[in-house]
Amino acid sequence: MKAQEILNGMTLKEKIYQLQQVTTLTFSTTDSRLDIITGPNSTLALDKDYIYETGTALNLIGAEIMMDVQANYLKNSKQKLPLIFMQDVIHGHRTLYPINLGVAASFDRELAHDLAAMAAKEASLDGVSVAFAPMVDLVRDPRWGRVMESSGEDPYLNGEMAAATVKGFQGDMGKYNVAACVKHYAAYGGAEAGRDYNTVDMSERTLRQYYLPPYKAAVDAGVKMVMTAFNIVDGVPAVGNKWLVKDILRDEWGFDGVVISDYSAFEEMINHGTCENKKECAYRAMEATADIEMMSSCYASHLEELVREGKITEEQIDNAVYRILKLKEDLGVFDSPYRSVDPDEAKRVQVCPEHRALARYGAENSAVLLKNNGILPLDKNVKSVALIGPNANTGEIHGSWFCGGKASETITVLEGFKNIIGDRVKYAKGCNIEYNSTDESMIDEAVKLASECEAVVLCLGEHQEYSGEGNCRSNIEIPEVQYKLLERVLEVNKNVAVALFAGRPLAMSRLDEMAPAILDMWMPGTEGGNACANLIFGNAVPSGKITMTFPRALGQVPIYYNHYNTGRPKAEEDDFNRVRFTSSYLDIANSPLYPFGYGLSYTTFDYSDYKLSANTLKRGEKLTASVKVKNTGSYKGKEAVQLYIRDVFGSVSRPMKELKGFEKIELDIGEEKAVEFTITEEMLKFWTREMKFEAEKGKFEVFIGKDSTCKPFAEFELVD
Ligand code: GLC
């Protein structure tokens, strides 16, 4: 069946049913929410007949559930248009890989693609049709819990990761693929004060220059669905924002796929104060061309009435329903309602050794070595290691969007260490993970153990539930009790490395001063313990680089590398000096603790032979920027080589530098490689004073380096 044929045979009411999304368990014959008076559906006030004509289902874990639900739905439905199932497959389905802020730190497009493809295969075998990912919201405030889902503060890197993830999920839309859903459109990461669901308010230029490009990269990569954000954009809630959704997403970018709201966001327009009732919510959302209503029932309650009143045309509804039916057609569910679901294959594939290996590889390549005085890697022949800390012996290091992942299947750091050094690892918890814990009663035991062992690894940081949706923090310091533990351990043993587990950049200047070495594992996923152990003992060499700035103190936030110069910039050489009438603080430097793009290795890399093919770029032509990178250390390692460009003068103020390219290379000891980047006019375009997306002629500086602190090595002039 083809979407248009089906649409042609539908009544108005049947069309409106397709726009509704409810939870999967609504239709379960065992775990019944069928009474729909309990659970999340109770607020929908949909009668049983309506429920069995709704178009899509939210949240599914398990092939058997999907088969039961689809069968029950089709048995009871009159239209018998199969459901499609949507799930938050954010960083893995059953085999979890690092949180996206970690995967981004790999600076490895192929890795992001392969991890998404793995997740898609596991999810499709469970009957999932759509993954609510990638989340590409640009972020600058680590108080926000959802930075863990993001790829960080840079539009270009976010966009590259978005495109790779979309292609990984969707592939050729075959058996082991799922449709991707880029979210949250738009600028959800700009929530004031880093508080979830808070007001977002920015100029159109900032929106277009920084926040929109990653969504567009996903659209250009062929993403099948877009989820609107909870927040207002220029005062209007995204889901009811015609300018944002219809004018930009659809008319300007050419997106003709499905737009879905976030959870109950239709009805939340009443809370925003832009709609007085559900009827107006339905009107605004349809005017904006939002297609699927997730877990509220404004369309169900009022669309027919709006058509009768002539406020909404049936054509508008046809367009929405067609996009949903077309997605179902693309997913093949009209021909095979159970699509790829296969309980037996799911059991064989999910969390299989190959998937574990890829998740482990992902965690090893996402981790960031923030500091190392030389203690790392530890010698595998070490006599004994005291493994201490609240994150040392827990499976809850796989992130808060753990989907179908199980803590019981996650390799703990203790297990990972045992896999390498056996019973030479000794464990003590040392303290609790709660950010407000003051319990010091376990410290003495840990200190005693540290005094008896040759080396110490402290697993500190956050619990996985301290980041993620609704998990924002006003204080992003390492908890005092963890500092107390570290301080006491350092009194008895200087051979101490910290493995940090967190879903965000933390304000950790004290940790940087105190700890001889710091390895940031993020929330590393199902194979986190093995990955951590491999990195600590040198079986793997750290190569991650942060994609979100780490502040010296929360007071510096928002702090990001691609900032403007201001009229009174503080000279870098004065960073730690007081220069009153400059853009600076009385009490702290302007520079961050760790800058965007920063990360160490166990080896060292030397950059030389910087070249720019010419110092003039004519419109429509290209330049080549190149560098040689040599492994000058004693480990084989990987390096993410970064290209930045600065538009020195423009009709509006331009960032001090912008990431315009990156390439991750692997070098053997002593090996040298040339890395080349092509510079085009397209890369130089920005939103000008007249709000046109153009490249303005003039001077540009070119930077190539290991992080965003690199200096320019050449200039060129863009000429007509
Ligand atoms: C949540 C999240 C969104 C998720 C959706 C479905 O509130 O904001 O990212 O995809 O609801 O679970």
Side-chain angles (χ1 to χ4, degrees):
M1 285 291 268
K2 295 282 179 248
Q4 193 57 54
E5 289 168 46
I6 295 168
L7 179 63
N8 294 343
M10 295 170 82
T11 66
L12 175 61
K13 196 164 184 68
E14 287 168 343
K15 293 170 186 176
I16 296 170
Y17 289 147
Q18 276 302 305
L19 308 180
Q20 180 72 54
Q21 181 169 89
V22 295
T23 53
T24 298
L25 288 181
T26 306
F27 309 102
S28 163
T29 60
T30 53
D31 182 354
S32 173
R33 300 282 193 282
L34 201 52
D35 48 18
I36 66 173
I37 54 173
T38 60
N41 291 333
S42 56
T43 57
L44 298 179
L46 298 176
D47 63 32
K48 192 175 162 188
D49 291 345
Y50 200 107
I51 283 280
Y52 276 104
E53 304 307 329
T54 50
T56 61
L58 161 69
N59 285 343
L60 165 74
I61 289 297
E64 292 81 358
I65 293 174
M66 184 270 189
M67 294 169 75
D68 165 59
V69 161
Q70 190 74 295
N72 187 41
Y73 175 88
L74 291 173
K75 189 174 101 209
N76 288 280
S77 168
K78 295 184 183 69
Q79 294 186 82
K80 303 197 182 302
L81 297 175
L83 288 168
I84 51 176
F85 299 83
M86 305 189 185
Q87 175 67 32
D88 291 292
V89 186
I90 309 297
H91 50 96
H93 178 69
R94 287 273 292 107
T95 307
L96 299 177
Y97 45 87
I99 56 173
N100 305 76
L101 196 58
V103 174
S106 73
F107 275 77
D108 187 336
R109 300 170 181 87
E110 197 179 326
L111 175 61
H113 171 279
D114 294 350
L115 290 169
M118 171 179 76
K121 181 171 185 179
E122 294 195 346
S124 64
L125 289 170
D126 262 354
V128 174
S129 296
V130 179
F132 287 138
M135 184 274 216
V136 302
D137 306 327
L138 186 134
V139 292
R140 293 171 169 172
D141 193 324
R143 291 172 290 185
W144 194 46
R146 303 194 77 163
V147 301
M148 51 76 70
E149 294 177 67
S150 167
S151 295
E153 69 195 44
D154 183 75
Y156 171 72
L157 184 118
N158 279 3
E160 292 295 288
M161 289 296 160
T165 304
V166 166
K167 289 171 181 162
F169 275 127
Q170 296 186 168
D172 56 5
M173 285 301 282
K175 173 182 179 186
Y176 294 134
N177 297 121
V178 294
C181 173
V182 64
K183 68 185 184 183
H184 306 78
Y185 185 71
Y188 182 19
E192 286 179 353
R195 198 178 77 227
D196 215 346
Y197 319 122
N198 202 6
T199 300
V200 170
D201 195 7
M202 61 182 71
S203 68
E204 180 182 347
R205 176 171 291 107
T206 296
L207 177 72
R208 286 182 176 275
Q209 192 65 40
Y210 287 96
Y211 288 83
L212 289 188
Y215 306 106
K216 187 172 187 307
V219 168
D220 292 347
V223 74
K224 294 284 185 184
M225 186 183 279
V226 174
M227 181 187 295
T228 54
F230 287 116
N231 50 277
I232 57 175
V233 176
D234 194 23
V236 179
V239 72
N241 192 320
K242 180 175 174 296
W243 171 72
L244 184 72
V245 182
K246 186 179 182 311
D247 299 351
I248 294 181
L249 176 65
R250 292 200 188 283
D251 298 348
E252 204 175 300
W253 297 356
F255 179 69
D256 60 2
V258 174
V259 170
I260 186 171
S261 76
D262 204 336
Y263 198 110
S264 74
F266 272 50
E267 200 159 343
E268 289 176 13
M269 286 194 268
I270 296 170
N271 294 339
H272 280 295
T274 55
C275 293
E276 290 188 27
N277 50 49
K278 286 173 68 172
K279 181 176 178 181
E280 193 174 353
C281 296
Y283 173 74
R284 290 294 175 202
M286 186 53 72
E287 183 195 45
T289 73
D291 302 317
I292 297 178
E293 181 170 4
M294 182 195 294
M295 292 306 292
S296 57
S297 52
C298 304
Y299 277 173
S301 311
H302 297 287
L303 268 189
E304 259 190 298
E305 184 187 347
L306 285 163
V307 171
R308 273 199 308 276
E309 294 168 0
K311 290 185 180 141
I312 292 285
T313 66
E314 185 156 358
E315 186 194 358
Q316 284 175 273
I317 294 175
D318 286 354
N319 292 339
V321 177
Y322 174 76
R323 289 188 284 259
I324 297 165
L325 295 175
K326 183 67 175 64
L327 177 60
K328 291 188 175 185
E329 181 186 329
D330 292 349
L331 286 160
V333 296
F334 293 132
D335 300 325
S336 46
Y338 296 88
R339 200 166 171 265
S340 310
V341 71
D342 183 330
D344 296 333
E345 189 175 359
K347 287 184 182 63
R348 283 197 303 277
V349 163
Q350 292 170 352
V351 204
C352 68
E354 294 76 19
H355 285 192
R356 278 187 175 273
L358 180 55
R360 185 168 58 248
Y361 178 82
E364 288 164 358
N365 285 272
S366 301
V368 181
L369 185 61
L370 295 171
K371 182 181 177 185
N372 187 20
N373 72 350
I375 177 184
L376 292 180
L378 294 183
D379 185 333
K380 285 194 270 287
N381 298 316
V382 62
K383 293 191 191 65
S384 56
V385 174
L387 184 67
I388 297 168
N391 279 323
N393 185 23
T394 171
E396 296 181 351
I397 52 171
H398 52 219
S400 65
W401 274 119
F402 49 80
C403 200
K406 295 187 173 73
S408 58
E409 294 170 342
T410 300
I411 302 296
T412 68
V413 179
L414 180 56
E415 287 164 331
F417 274 52
K418 283 179 178 171
N419 289 338
I420 295 180
I421 61 170
D423 58 9
R424 285 176 285 143
V425 59
K426 316 291 178 193
Y427 164 70
K429 188 174 182 182
C431 69
N432 292 318
I433 192 63
E434 285 71 21
Y435 61 83
N436 55 357
S437 172
T438 55
D439 178 359
E440 299 185 12
S441 63
M442 293 176 277
I443 292 181
D444 287 347
E445 177 207 7
V447 170
K448 181 174 181 304
L449 188 65
S451 68
E452 296 159 354
C453 290
E454 188 178 331
V456 182
V457 174
L458 271 171
C459 297
L460 305 177
E462 292 186 316
H463 184 268
Q464 65 184 16
E465 286 304 327
Y466 293 165
S467 58
E469 184 176 358
N471 295 335
C472 303
R473 299 181 64 193
S474 71
N475 174 351
I476 56 170
E477 287 284 351
I478 304 276
E480 201 49 46
V481 70
Q482 293 185 26
Y483 276 126
K484 175 69 89 180
L485 173 63
L486 172 60
E487 199 174 39
R488 291 280 312 281
V489 163
L490 283 168
E491 286 166 3
V492 301
N493 196 322
K494 294 303 178 203
N495 271 339
V496 177
V498 169
L500 192 65
F501 296 80
R504 55 163 55 84
L506 296 174
M508 44 193 266
S509 297
R510 273 175 69 194
L511 186 67
D512 183 63
E513 283 160 21
M514 292 168 70
I518 305 168
L519 177 69
D520 193 337
M521 294 300 299
W522 308 107
M523 285 290 163
T526 305
E527 279 287 314
N530 279 330
C532 181
N534 281 337
L535 289 162
I536 291 287
F537 290 102
N539 292 342
V541 176
S543 62
K545 299 196 171 192
I546 59 175
T547 62
M548 188 176 180
T549 300
F550 278 53
R552 295 180 186 282
L554 185 56
Q556 290 181 308
V557 167
I559 180 171
Y560 47 93
Y561 88 92
N562 42 5
H563 60 79
Y564 300 128
N565 201 23
T566 78
R568 294 192 174 188
K570 186 182 187 185
E572 277 186 26
E573 57 270 26
D574 287 327
D575 198 24
F576 290 91
N577 305 328
R578 171 85 172 114
V579 184
R580 182 171 177 184
F581 298 107
T582 60
S583 180
S584 57
Y585 301 98
L586 190 71
D587 56 355
I588 198 168
N590 284 359
S591 62
L593 181 61
Y594 308 119
F596 175 90
Y598 169 83
L600 301 175
S601 173
Y602 292 149
T603 191
T604 50
F605 298 100
D606 180 56
Y607 286 60
S608 65
D609 203 11
Y610 294 85
K611 282 187 184 143
L612 186 65
S613 56
N615 295 105
T616 307
L617 173 63
K618 286 189 75 169
R619 289 187 186 282
E621 296 185 356
K622 296 176 180 174
L623 290 180
T624 302
S626 62
V627 71
K628 284 186 180 162
V629 182
K630 184 172 186 177
N631 182 341
T632 50
S634 44
Y635 289 87
K636 182 175 181 177
K638 294 176 190 169
E639 174 75 340
V641 182
Q642 301 152 48
L643 167 74
Y644 296 88
I645 292 179
R646 180 188 181 189
D647 183 353
V648 184
F649 297 102
S651 56
V652 294
S653 194
R654 305 284 294 119
M656 294 307 286
K657 55 167 73 81
E658 297 174 281
L659 183 72
K660 292 293 182 183
F662 60 86
E663 186 179 336
K664 190 160 191 180
I665 58 173
E666 185 164 35
L667 293 174
D668 222 328
I669 298 168
E671 186 182 5
E672 182 174 61
K673 273 182 188 167
V675 178
E676 272 194 7
F677 297 101
T678 300
I679 296 174
T680 65
E681 180 187 356
E682 186 62 29
M683 292 161 84
L684 311 178
K685 290 183 178 178
F686 69 100
W687 291 88
T688 64
R689 189 198 298 258
E690 289 71 37
M691 282 305 284
K692 296 215 177 342
F693 190 60
E694 293 171 346
E696 293 175 345
K697 58 187 179 188
K699 185 166 77 168
F700 292 82
E701 293 177 332
V702 185
F703 312 65
I704 296 179
K706 58 183 175 21
D707 64 44
S708 59
T709 64
C710 55
K711 301 295 178 239
F713 72 90
E715 291 181 357
F716 67 88
E717 190 90 13
L718 176 66
V719 298
D720 288 332

PDB file of all heavy atoms in Angstrom, residues 58-59 88 132 146 183-184 227 230 262-263 294 401 469, ligand 1:
ATOM      1  N   LEU A  58       4.953   5.230  21.993  1.00  0.00           N
ATOM      2  CA  LEU A  58       6.164   5.772  22.616  1.00  0.00           C
ATOM      3  C   LEU A  58       6.703   4.804  23.655  1.00  0.00           C
ATOM      4  O   LEU A  58       5.933   4.262  24.446  1.00  0.00           O
ATOM      5  CB  LEU A  58       5.780   7.087  23.304  1.00  0.00           C
ATOM      6  CG  LEU A  58       6.682   7.655  24.376  1.00  0.00           C
ATOM      7  CD1 LEU A  58       7.979   8.140  23.752  1.00  0.00           C
ATOM      8  CD2 LEU A  58       5.997   8.791  25.096  1.00  0.00           C
ATOM      9  N   ASN A  59       8.020   4.609  23.643  1.00  0.00           N
ATOM     10  CA  ASN A  59       8.692   3.789  24.656  1.00  0.00           C
ATOM     11  C   ASN A  59       8.378   2.307  24.533  1.00  0.00           C
ATOM     12  O   ASN A  59       7.259   1.870  24.801  1.00  0.00           O
ATOM     13  CB  ASN A  59       8.348   4.257  26.078  1.00  0.00           C
ATOM     14  CG  ASN A  59       9.090   5.537  26.385  1.00  0.00           C
ATOM     15  OD1 ASN A  59      10.059   5.868  25.678  1.00  0.00           O
ATOM     16  ND2 ASN A  59       8.638   6.257  27.376  1.00  0.00           N
ATOM     17  N   ASP A  88      13.745   6.261  23.005  1.00  0.00           N
ATOM     18  CA  ASP A  88      14.932   7.100  23.241  1.00  0.00           C
ATOM     19  C   ASP A  88      16.206   6.270  23.208  1.00  0.00           C
ATOM     20  O   ASP A  88      16.769   5.937  24.236  1.00  0.00           O
ATOM     21  CB  ASP A  88      14.798   7.810  24.594  1.00  0.00           C
ATOM     22  CG  ASP A  88      13.715   8.843  24.535  1.00  0.00           C
ATOM     23  OD1 ASP A  88      13.910   9.839  23.817  1.00  0.00           O
ATOM     24  OD2 ASP A  88      12.666   8.630  25.160  1.00  0.00           O
ATOM     25  N   PHE A 132      14.642   8.359  19.011  1.00  0.00           N
ATOM     26  CA  PHE A 132      14.565   9.801  19.295  1.00  0.00           C
ATOM     27  C   PHE A 132      15.981  10.337  19.507  1.00  0.00           C
ATOM     28  O   PHE A 132      16.357  10.746  20.592  1.00  0.00           O
ATOM     29  CB  PHE A 132      13.729  10.046  20.551  1.00  0.00           C
ATOM     30  CG  PHE A 132      12.253   9.842  20.369  1.00  0.00           C
ATOM     31  CD1 PHE A 132      11.509   9.191  21.343  1.00  0.00           C
ATOM     32  CD2 PHE A 132      11.596  10.304  19.241  1.00  0.00           C
ATOM     33  CE1 PHE A 132      10.141   9.012  21.203  1.00  0.00           C
ATOM     34  CE2 PHE A 132      10.229  10.127  19.089  1.00  0.00           C
ATOM     35  CZ  PHE A 132       9.502   9.482  20.074  1.00  0.00           C
ATOM     36  N   ARG A 146      21.180  18.093  30.525  1.00  0.00           N
ATOM     37  CA  ARG A 146      21.148  17.389  29.240  1.00  0.00           C
ATOM     38  C   ARG A 146      22.391  17.634  28.396  1.00  0.00           C
ATOM     39  O   ARG A 146      22.457  17.169  27.253  1.00  0.00           O
ATOM     40  CB  ARG A 146      19.869  17.756  28.489  1.00  0.00           C
ATOM     41  CG  ARG A 146      18.630  17.428  29.308  1.00  0.00           C
ATOM     42  CD  ARG A 146      17.362  17.441  28.520  1.00  0.00           C
ATOM     43  NE  ARG A 146      17.220  16.238  27.698  1.00  0.00           N
ATOM     44  CZ  ARG A 146      16.065  15.842  27.166  1.00  0.00           C
ATOM     45  NH1 ARG A 146      14.952  16.577  27.357  1.00  0.00           N
ATOM     46  NH2 ARG A 146      15.994  14.747  26.417  1.00  0.00           N
ATOM     47  N   LYS A 183      16.730  16.178  17.491  1.00  0.00           N
ATOM     48  CA  LYS A 183      16.040  16.959  18.528  1.00  0.00           C
ATOM     49  C   LYS A 183      17.045  17.810  19.268  1.00  0.00           C
ATOM     50  O   LYS A 183      18.258  17.600  19.118  1.00  0.00           O
ATOM     51  CB  LYS A 183      15.313  16.000  19.470  1.00  0.00           C
ATOM     52  CG  LYS A 183      16.229  15.130  20.330  1.00  0.00           C
ATOM     53  CD  LYS A 183      15.415  14.126  21.127  1.00  0.00           C
ATOM     54  CE  LYS A 183      16.283  13.324  22.069  1.00  0.00           C
ATOM     55  NZ  LYS A 183      15.512  12.299  22.799  1.00  0.00           N
ATOM     56  N   HIS A 184      16.568  18.825  20.044  1.00  0.00           N
ATOM     57  CA  HIS A 184      15.197  19.296  20.177  1.00  0.00           C
ATOM     58  C   HIS A 184      15.118  20.632  19.461  1.00  0.00           C
ATOM     59  O   HIS A 184      15.774  21.580  19.906  1.00  0.00           O
ATOM     60  CB  HIS A 184      14.845  19.459  21.641  1.00  0.00           C
ATOM     61  CG  HIS A 184      15.066  18.249  22.480  1.00  0.00           C
ATOM     62  ND1 HIS A 184      16.316  17.853  22.936  1.00  0.00           N
ATOM     63  CD2 HIS A 184      14.221  17.304  22.928  1.00  0.00           C
ATOM     64  CE1 HIS A 184      16.197  16.736  23.647  1.00  0.00           C
ATOM     65  NE2 HIS A 184      14.928  16.376  23.663  1.00  0.00           N
ATOM     66  N   MET A 227      12.075  16.514  16.225  1.00  0.00           N
ATOM     67  CA  MET A 227      11.284  16.731  17.433  1.00  0.00           C
ATOM     68  C   MET A 227      11.475  18.173  17.880  1.00  0.00           C
ATOM     69  O   MET A 227      12.609  18.661  17.990  1.00  0.00           O
ATOM     70  CB  MET A 227      11.730  15.802  18.565  1.00  0.00           C
ATOM     71  CG  MET A 227      10.898  15.978  19.840  1.00  0.00           C
ATOM     72  SD  MET A 227      11.524  15.037  21.223  1.00  0.00           S
ATOM     73  CE  MET A 227      11.295  13.368  20.680  1.00  0.00           C
ATOM     74  N   PHE A 230      10.861  21.960  24.040  1.00  0.00           N
ATOM     75  CA  PHE A 230       9.867  22.428  25.009  1.00  0.00           C
ATOM     76  C   PHE A 230       9.814  23.947  25.070  1.00  0.00           C
ATOM     77  O   PHE A 230       8.821  24.541  25.431  1.00  0.00           O
ATOM     78  CB  PHE A 230      10.249  21.939  26.413  1.00  0.00           C
ATOM     79  CG  PHE A 230      10.039  20.489  26.663  1.00  0.00           C
ATOM     80  CD1 PHE A 230      11.110  19.651  26.922  1.00  0.00           C
ATOM     81  CD2 PHE A 230       8.755  19.944  26.658  1.00  0.00           C
ATOM     82  CE1 PHE A 230      10.912  18.295  27.188  1.00  0.00           C
ATOM     83  CE2 PHE A 230       8.551  18.602  26.929  1.00  0.00           C
ATOM     84  CZ  PHE A 230       9.636  17.772  27.179  1.00  0.00           C
ATOM     85  N   ASP A 262       7.622  17.323  21.634  1.00  0.00           N
ATOM     86  CA  ASP A 262       8.150  16.613  22.785  1.00  0.00           C
ATOM     87  C   ASP A 262       6.966  16.306  23.710  1.00  0.00           C
ATOM     88  O   ASP A 262       5.848  16.770  23.490  1.00  0.00           O
ATOM     89  CB  ASP A 262       9.239  17.463  23.477  1.00  0.00           C
ATOM     90  CG  ASP A 262      10.200  16.602  24.268  1.00  0.00           C
ATOM     91  OD1 ASP A 262       9.802  15.482  24.653  1.00  0.00           O
ATOM     92  OD2 ASP A 262      11.334  17.019  24.479  1.00  0.00           O
ATOM     93  N   TYR A 263       7.261  15.584  24.763  1.00  0.00           N
ATOM     94  CA  TYR A 263       6.235  14.999  25.628  1.00  0.00           C
ATOM     95  C   TYR A 263       5.291  16.071  26.210  1.00  0.00           C
ATOM     96  O   TYR A 263       5.743  16.926  26.974  1.00  0.00           O
ATOM     97  CB  TYR A 263       6.943  14.273  26.763  1.00  0.00           C
ATOM     98  CG  TYR A 263       6.147  13.259  27.521  1.00  0.00           C
ATOM     99  CD1 TYR A 263       6.425  11.908  27.401  1.00  0.00           C
ATOM    100  CD2 TYR A 263       5.124  13.635  28.375  1.00  0.00           C
ATOM    101  CE1 TYR A 263       5.712  10.952  28.111  1.00  0.00           C
ATOM    102  CE2 TYR A 263       4.397  12.693  29.080  1.00  0.00           C
ATOM    103  CZ  TYR A 263       4.697  11.363  28.952  1.00  0.00           C
ATOM    104  OH  TYR A 263       3.980  10.432  29.654  1.00  0.00           O
ATOM    105  N   MET A 294       2.668  14.154  20.971  1.00  0.00           N
ATOM    106  CA  MET A 294       3.156  13.173  21.931  1.00  0.00           C
ATOM    107  C   MET A 294       2.565  13.453  23.295  1.00  0.00           C
ATOM    108  O   MET A 294       2.830  14.472  23.918  1.00  0.00           O
ATOM    109  CB  MET A 294       4.680  13.209  22.035  1.00  0.00           C
ATOM    110  CG  MET A 294       5.262  12.196  22.983  1.00  0.00           C
ATOM    111  SD  MET A 294       6.978  12.513  23.421  1.00  0.00           S
ATOM    112  CE  MET A 294       7.826  12.267  21.888  1.00  0.00           C
ATOM    113  N   TRP A 401      20.180   8.078  30.145  1.00  0.00           N
ATOM    114  CA  TRP A 401      19.292   7.579  29.086  1.00  0.00           C
ATOM    115  C   TRP A 401      19.703   6.139  28.781  1.00  0.00           C
ATOM    116  O   TRP A 401      20.204   5.829  27.705  1.00  0.00           O
ATOM    117  CB  TRP A 401      19.418   8.416  27.817  1.00  0.00           C
ATOM    118  CG  TRP A 401      18.560   9.637  27.739  1.00  0.00           C
ATOM    119  CD1 TRP A 401      19.004  10.907  27.622  1.00  0.00           C
ATOM    120  CD2 TRP A 401      17.121   9.710  27.744  1.00  0.00           C
ATOM    121  NE1 TRP A 401      17.948  11.778  27.546  1.00  0.00           N
ATOM    122  CE2 TRP A 401      16.778  11.070  27.632  1.00  0.00           C
ATOM    123  CE3 TRP A 401      16.103   8.766  27.838  1.00  0.00           C
ATOM    124  CZ2 TRP A 401      15.465  11.526  27.597  1.00  0.00           C
ATOM    125  CZ3 TRP A 401      14.784   9.218  27.806  1.00  0.00           C
ATOM    126  CH2 TRP A 401      14.466  10.577  27.690  1.00  0.00           C
ATOM    127  N   GLU A 469      17.854  14.441  31.619  1.00  0.00           N
ATOM    128  CA  GLU A 469      16.669  15.310  31.644  1.00  0.00           C
ATOM    129  C   GLU A 469      16.208  15.592  33.059  1.00  0.00           C
ATOM    130  O   GLU A 469      16.090  14.681  33.866  1.00  0.00           O
ATOM    131  CB  GLU A 469      15.519  14.707  30.859  1.00  0.00           C
ATOM    132  CG  GLU A 469      14.326  15.673  30.820  1.00  0.00           C
ATOM    133  CD  GLU A 469      13.186  15.189  29.971  1.00  0.00           C
ATOM    134  OE1 GLU A 469      13.298  14.110  29.364  1.00  0.00           O
ATOM    135  OE2 GLU A 469      12.165  15.912  29.909  1.00  0.00           O
TER     136      GLU A 469
HETATM  137  C1  GLC B   1      11.340  13.581  26.960  1.00  0.00           C
HETATM  138  C2  GLC B   1      12.521  14.242  26.280  1.00  0.00           C
HETATM  139  C3  GLC B   1      12.725  13.824  24.857  1.00  0.00           C
HETATM  140  C4  GLC B   1      12.291  12.374  24.700  1.00  0.00           C
HETATM  141  C5  GLC B   1      10.793  12.324  24.913  1.00  0.00           C
HETATM  142  C6  GLC B   1      10.249  10.895  24.821  1.00  0.00           C
HETATM  143  O1  GLC B   1      10.672  14.497  27.763  1.00  0.00           O
HETATM  144  O2  GLC B   1      12.563  15.661  26.321  1.00  0.00           O
HETATM  145  O3  GLC B   1      14.107  14.021  24.553  1.00  0.00           O
HETATM  146  O4  GLC B   1      12.621  11.914  23.404  1.00  0.00           O
HETATM  147  O5  GLC B   1      10.404  12.902  26.149  1.00  0.00           O
HETATM  148  O6  GLC B   1      10.734  10.141  25.873  1.00  0.00           O
END
